[in-house]
Amino acid sequence: MNDGLDRFRAHLFHDERLGVWLDTSRVRWTADFLDGLEPRLQAAYEAMAALERGAIANADEGRMVGHYWLRAPELAPDPAIRDAITTTLGRVLTFAEDVHAARIRPERASRFRDVLLIGIGGSALGPQLVSAALTSPADRMSVWFFDNTDPDGFDRTLDAIGDALPGTLAVVISKSGGTKETRNGMLEAEAAYARLGLDFAKHAVVVTGEGSELDKHAVARGFLDRFPMWDWVGGRTSELSAVGLLPAALQGLDVEDMLRGARAMDEVTRSRVTKRNPAAQLAAAWLSATGGAGKKDMVLLPYKDRLELFSRYAQQLVMESLGKRLDRQGREVWQGISVYGNKGSTDQHAYVQQLRDGVDNFFVTFLEVLLDRAPQRGDLSVEPGVTSGDYLSGFLQGTRRALDERGRASITITLEALDATSLGALIALYERAVGIYAELVDINAYHQPGVEAGKKAAQAVIDLEQRVLAGLRAKAGTALSLAEVAAAAGSDDPETVFWILRHLSANPRRGVLRVRGQGAEAEVGSPLDWSWMIAAAP
């Protein structure tokens, strides 16, 4: 008897229709672990079913969580929701067709050939993943991204777009309509179009909540179109809403196949028989590997260049959903799973050394795609009877075996091929696994109080910056110490004032000058002893 093969057989899931495999045999759980977990899993299945029936899952926001309805509108509890989903999908497809046929045209160019997506977090990570994973020479449009509020990042992207900007369609995405990073990106893009004498509104659409600040702005300016984001779809689970479907359709990808793949995975992961439910098995493996308390990190290693961005997408999905201080009973639990990743076989030249021989504070998830390349491209033998793809598979298997020899846990997810259907299935698998895991550890996976706290703190810094500038302008031409600047700004937080002054003074157009001591004093003095000023007007 081969104990290893028996364990592999016992923990190998395969769905031929989906073309998906899941191997959890290298997770170090005991034979009775799943049996002991079964009552909690059954409770999780019921909670997920209630979610799909329209239960208020996000109690502190009083809203339903319905991303599963996006690929199965008939499950939505309200006919109005069902109609909104199907109508929006139809509008997305029609809009993309009209753009491709040049029935919707830019102000000056003959047609739109590029897309500039402006968004952040869930409004960018999913679209970036899908765009990179499914791109091909058949793409109808090239897709670019503003996904931060980095001025140099804006410039680099605009430089890359170059002379194609007049034929670029901007897709501005913000659920709340008030996301500052997205607002800033939109203003930067608007300025770039204006420098060419173009009206940004004639080159822009929005995806946002009805009645949001962004929605009102689009109406007032006469944007080309507006598509909805609903309060029952969270940003990190919005890829299969207009957020992800619109840019994908514009790129020329088969969004209906992506929806079909997600729908098929949902059907499988609704099973209450754990051995037939890959999302439940995945969540159980996470629970075993982390002790249900985030004791180990999740390392995602896709052995496929097209899936390189999956670790960034999953990072938000997992960490924003599971990283919670309180459970649903209000107890302090400090939950979460840290996620990071590279790609194979690059990983073997980066950090597999530590994974095998260093601190054992992780579990690995390998992602592989069996189809090496499009069949019409043929194969090249790099050695007699051996292809580059054989090496890629060999490196994955070798790394998996090397980790197992050290007792390091790993999971392997295998796709027969990577296409719109299988990518939709992969997204749905992780969405459901996160939901089940959250039920197992009794946390709310659908809110993000820590994110909101960070946004409020950032706004407080911006408000303080304005008071710092006002204080310096009031005494223009006079060098002020850090303490004097803080006092002028009405702040008892000189450290934050220093950060603000340091940043402002590094950007010449802001007009803030650093005034240092002279001679030996300047050599040994602390930067906290510098003075700061705005030059007096000539």
Side-chain angles (χ1 to χ4, degrees):
M1 180 179 293
N2 188 321
D3 291 341
L5 184 62
D6 289 343
R7 183 176 179 84
F8 181 54
R9 187 195 308 276
H11 295 285
L12 180 65
F13 169 88
H14 175 225
D15 187 290
E16 189 167 0
R17 181 172 68 106
L18 284 171
V20 174
W21 307 69
L22 173 66
D23 167 26
T24 56
S25 65
R26 294 311 190 264
V27 176
R28 298 290 168 171
W29 47 20
T30 59
D32 60 353
F33 178 83
L34 278 177
D35 290 340
L37 192 60
E38 189 62 25
R40 289 163 66 188
L41 283 167
Q42 290 299 322
Y45 301 147
E46 178 53 38
M48 298 301 289
L51 194 77
E52 292 191 284
R53 291 193 296 266
I56 300 298
N58 203 343
D60 55 345
E61 297 177 9
R63 63 176 174 87
M64 300 180 290
V65 174
H67 49 275
Y68 300 107
W69 308 330
L70 297 170
R71 50 267 198 173
E74 71 278 5
L75 297 180
D78 185 335
I81 293 177
R82 294 197 289 272
D83 291 345
I85 294 169
T86 55
T87 298
T88 299
L89 175 60
R91 288 183 56 220
V92 163
L93 295 173
T94 298
F95 182 84
E97 290 170 4
D98 288 345
V99 168
H100 296 156
R103 289 187 289 268
I104 296 175
R105 300 174 58 181
E107 186 176 8
R108 190 182 299 163
S110 62
R111 64 191 306 127
F112 286 114
R113 299 182 186 277
D114 292 78
V115 175
L116 174 60
L117 188 151
I118 304 171
I120 196 167
S123 297
L125 290 167
Q128 287 172 318
L129 165 65
V130 169
S131 179
L134 301 180
T135 185
S136 79
D139 287 353
R140 303 297 298 272
M141 303 177 76
S142 299
V143 186
W144 308 86
F145 294 89
F146 278 1
D147 65 347
N148 201 355
T149 185
D150 179 0
D152 183 57
F154 297 140
D155 295 342
R156 288 178 61 201
T157 301
L158 291 170
D159 288 346
I161 295 172
D163 294 340
L165 189 64
T168 299
L169 175 67
V171 179
V172 187
I173 306 176
S174 170
K175 180 178 178 179
S176 68
T179 306
K180 300 303 185 185
E181 297 95 333
T182 303
R183 187 276 313 270
N184 296 352
M186 181 177 69
L187 293 176
E188 292 270 357
E190 186 173 354
Y193 283 86
R195 286 192 291 271
L196 299 178
L198 298 171
D199 181 357
F200 180 68
K202 292 183 172 63
H203 305 78
V205 300
V206 297
V207 182
T208 189
E210 185 177 355
S212 72
E213 293 177 31
L214 180 57
D215 191 45
K216 293 174 184 176
H217 178 75
V219 171
R221 289 290 309 278
F223 279 27
L224 292 173
D225 213 334
R226 296 145 50 227
F227 296 88
M229 282 187 81
W230 302 289
D231 66 356
W232 40 267
V233 178
R236 56 188 172 276
T237 54
S238 64
E239 173 54 29
L240 298 179
S241 73
V243 169
L245 298 182
L246 178 60
L250 289 167
Q251 186 173 337
L253 308 180
D254 193 334
V255 298
E256 292 179 291
D257 269 0
M258 196 156 59
L259 289 166
R260 276 189 280 269
R263 181 187 180 104
M265 180 59 77
D266 286 343
E267 290 169 356
V268 171
T269 57
R270 286 190 190 102
S271 174
R272 300 195 183 203
V273 180
T274 299
K275 289 188 177 181
R276 299 177 189 167
N277 186 330
Q281 293 179 39
L282 192 57
W286 296 351
L287 192 79
S288 174
T290 66
K295 293 178 181 178
K296 294 194 175 182
D297 301 339
M298 180 189 301
V299 181
L300 285 170
L301 296 179
Y303 275 61
K304 193 69 172 178
D305 286 359
R306 289 178 177 272
L307 290 175
E308 183 177 6
L309 296 183
F310 186 76
S311 60
R312 290 176 59 188
Y313 169 77
Q315 188 175 62
Q316 185 201 19
L317 177 63
V318 173
M319 294 180 71
E320 196 168 67
S321 298
L322 303 182
K324 302 297 161 61
R325 181 172 67 91
L326 303 176
D327 67 12
R328 286 185 295 203
Q329 314 309 315
R331 298 171 299 203
E332 205 167 66
V333 291
W334 303 103
Q335 271 290 353
I337 303 176
S338 296
V339 180
Y340 63 93
N342 199 325
K343 69 174 183 179
S345 64
T346 302
D347 59 339
Q348 293 187 236
H349 303 272
Y351 52 71
V352 164
Q353 168 63 34
Q354 176 166 317
L355 297 187
R356 187 173 189 271
D357 290 345
V359 59
D360 185 9
N361 63 347
F362 66 92
F363 65 100
V364 168
T365 300
F366 295 106
L367 290 170
E368 73 166 335
V369 178
L370 296 180
L371 182 64
D372 290 335
R373 61 173 15 134
Q376 65 268 25
R377 292 188 180 271
D379 281 324
L380 174 72
S381 293
V382 295
E383 295 173 8
V386 180
T387 69
S388 299
D390 295 334
Y391 264 104
L392 189 66
S393 178
F395 283 131
L396 184 155
Q397 294 179 58
T399 304
R400 175 177 175 271
R401 176 171 294 182
L403 294 178
D404 189 52
E405 289 172 353
R406 282 284 193 268
R408 309 297 168 90
S410 71
I411 299 163
T412 304
I413 296 171
T414 302
L415 307 178
E416 294 278 351
L418 180 60
D419 53 25
T421 304
S422 63
L423 185 58
L426 182 63
I427 289 170
L429 172 65
Y430 268 76
E431 286 180 349
R432 183 81 63 163
V434 165
I436 292 174
Y437 184 91
E439 293 297 330
L440 293 176
V441 298
D442 194 28
I443 59 171
N444 180 357
Y446 308 107
H447 69 162
Q448 49 282 332
V451 176
E452 300 307 318
K455 290 179 180 178
K456 291 177 182 177
Q459 187 59 52
V461 172
I462 298 299
D463 294 343
L464 177 55
E465 177 181 278
Q466 296 307 301
R467 300 200 306 273
V468 165
L469 286 168
L472 289 170
R473 291 187 186 113
K475 297 188 177 182
T478 301
L480 302 178
S481 68
L482 177 59
E484 288 171 331
V485 176
S491 173
D492 60 358
D493 184 3
E495 181 178 333
T496 300
V497 172
F498 175 79
W499 277 66
I500 290 169
L501 290 167
R502 183 177 59 178
H503 174 249
L504 291 172
S505 65
N507 291 274
R509 294 191 179 189
R510 307 307 296 274
V512 175
L513 305 176
R514 300 175 184 177
V515 182
R516 309 188 192 192
Q518 300 296 319
E521 179 185 346
E523 296 285 335
V524 299
S526 166
L528 299 182
D529 297 327
W530 293 348
S531 295
W532 312 84
M533 66 181 290
I534 286 180

